[in-house]
Amino acid sequence: MRLPVRLLCLALACPGLAHANDLMRVYDLAAQNDANFRAAQHARDASIEARPQAWAALLPQINGEYSDGKSKETGTESFNGLPATTIDRDSSSSGLTVSLSQALFDWEAIQALRQSGDVVALAETNLRAARQDLVLRVAQAYFGVLAAADNLRTLEAEHQALERQLEQARKRFEVGLSAITDVQETQARYDLSVANRIIARQTLDSAREALAEITGQPATEIAALQEDFPLPAPNPTEVGAWVRQALEGNLDLLAARYNAEIAEKGVNRAWSRHLPTVGAVASYQDSEASGSRFSGESETESYGLRVNVPIFAGGATQSGVRQATATREQRRSQYEGTRRLVERSTRDAYQGVVAGVNTVQAYKQAVISSTTALEASQTGLEVGTRTAVDVLNAQQLLYAAQRTYYQSRYDYLLSYLRLKAATGALTEKELVTIDRLLVGG
């Protein structure tokens, strides 16, 4: 995958390309402040504790207990048929117990330890996916602001052009060179441009808010894309190579695989509850009592083996096995569905890059052609071969072509990022590459 390298080299080779370093500034803010990414980091930190917790079940367990109490006895007592005597006795007792247990055979704990390795791997994969998603969301939000600004800028230019045309149409009507319909048509287009500018400003404000939501800071003026930049095709050039890379490295697919493996070990873990457990136990007890019939001090040490054989648990164990088996089949089906989705989305992203190269070039040519057509219509209006409506239509086509051309460039870059994401290889380096295509804002 040499696409980013080629893009970077070509960008650096082009004269006049300024490195604005603005996209990376936005990404750094997002990495620090985005709530979703911070949540993913905490989720990873929580999940990696599964392994030490699983290890703990196989390590020695030491417990200590200390008790200290007092009691009062009143009443009568007799021994061996002797006359009963009245008692009124205060007594106290204290004791310290320390116990040690060590699992020698616990198949469920062993399976839980094996399962924990996949849990940790899944957590790391999910964090990588969250970072990759952050890169995509930053690029989408950043380009969303640029696209909205482009849209507003072209609408402003179109509004100013319509304002001039409306003034000219009125003057031509006043001297009898045009009909009132030309004035009315221009006025209608002008009024519509006023409404479009209002909507465009609102869209720009909304795009800035979306970017601020990710970065945690107000979205000020940001750097724009260079007017012309290289449009390399995907490398490798064969879509099958990208699909193979995606099936090996796609993070969603990798996460689905870990989920399936966790569920597989979950079946073994549930079945292991049928097996006995064996452990070594030892304890030490130091107790003292006073004021009672059995006063004194004692120390007790004990050790041995403990075997726990499950016989019947009301059907809970069998039910747990059935539940784990169903979960395993669910995860397998989800893995297969994710694999198919990854293959399709990779092909779509590849086609988006390939089509994007041609689309950007086609829309750029459309802008050139529309400019020429507008100039011809204006000349024709002056010599009487074109009407004001013809000029209005040509002008509308030009500004529409400009907006579509600007949007196509962002679509191409986003398709490139999505293609990298499909293979699991999208990192901040791709933003650095795109950052070099920006000019200072």
Side-chain angles (χ1 to χ4, degrees), residues 47-75:
S47 296
I48 61 177
E49 297 302 323
R51 189 158 186 83
Q53 290 175 14
W55 261 116
L58 296 170
L59 296 177
Q61 310 291 310
I62 302 176
N63 294 295
E65 179 182 352
Y66 176 77
S67 63
D68 187 5
K70 297 181 181 299
S71 63
K72 182 178 180 63
E73 295 178 86
T74 59

Side-chain angles (χ1 to χ4, degrees), residues 37-53 119-120 122-127 131:
F37 183 62
R38 289 204 313 270
Q41 290 175 313
H42 293 311
R44 187 279 310 268
D45 294 342
S47 296
I48 61 177
E49 297 302 323
R51 189 158 186 83
Q53 290 175 14
V119 171
V120 173
L122 175 61
E124 296 291 351
T125 300
N126 286 337
L127 181 60
R131 186 178 296 277

Side-chain angles (χ1 to χ4, degrees), residues 374-386:
L374 176 58
E375 293 172 350
S377 295
Q378 290 172 333
T379 302
L381 178 64
E382 294 175 358
V383 300
T385 59
R386 290 286 189 275

Side-chain angles (χ1 to χ4, degrees), residues 314-430:
T317 304
Q318 292 88 338
S319 175
V321 172
R322 292 193 299 270
Q323 182 184 42
T325 301
T327 301
R328 179 191 62 189
E329 297 306 313
Q330 175 193 4
R331 296 289 185 261
R332 286 177 175 177
S333 297
Q334 289 173 339
Y335 172 79
E336 178 61 23
T338 303
R339 188 191 65 79
R340 297 177 185 178
L341 177 61
V342 165
E343 184 172 351
R344 177 176 63 82
S345 60
T346 303
R347 294 181 184 277
D348 289 344
Y350 174 86
Q351 295 300 332
V353 176
V354 173
V357 174
N358 298 325
T359 300
V360 172
Q361 294 171 344
Y363 282 130
K364 183 178 181 179
Q365 183 59 45
V367 172
I368 297 173
S369 301
S370 297
T371 302
T372 303
L374 176 58
E375 293 172 350
S377 295
Q378 290 172 333
T379 302
L381 178 64
E382 294 175 358
V383 300
T385 59
R386 290 286 189 275
T387 66
V389 175
D390 292 332
V391 175
L392 290 174
N393 290 337
Q395 182 176 277
Q396 186 177 32
L397 287 175
L398 171 60
Y399 288 114
Q402 287 179 344
R403 288 190 288 271
T404 307
Y405 165 63
Y406 293 142
Q407 183 62 53
S408 68
R409 301 187 308 160
Y410 306 131
D411 291 341
Y412 165 79
L413 292 174
L414 287 174
S415 294
Y416 154 67
L417 294 178
R418 292 189 184 103
L419 182 59
K420 294 287 290 185
T423 63
L426 179 61
T427 65
E428 303 93 310
K429 294 180 180 179
E430 276 63 49

Side-chain angles (χ1 to χ4, degrees), residues 126-145:
N126 286 337
L127 181 60
R128 287 176 56 199
R131 186 178 296 277
Q132 189 170 258
D133 178 67
L134 181 65
V135 172
L136 268 178
R137 288 190 292 115
V138 166
Q140 289 171 340
Y142 192 97
F143 292 153
V145 174

Side-chain angles (χ1 to χ4, degrees), residues 30 41 96 100 208 211 273 278 284 292 294 438:
Q41 290 175 313
L96 172 66
L100 167 69
R208 285 174 174 164
L211 184 58
R273 297 188 182 104
V278 181
Y284 168 79
S292 67
F294 305 101
L438 300 177

Side-chain angles (χ1 to χ4, degrees), residues 193-211:
S193 73
V194 173
N196 288 337
R197 287 166 63 215
I198 294 173
I199 297 174
R201 289 193 186 99
Q202 181 182 4
T203 302
L204 178 57
D205 290 341
S206 178
R208 285 174 174 164
E209 288 297 326
L211 184 58

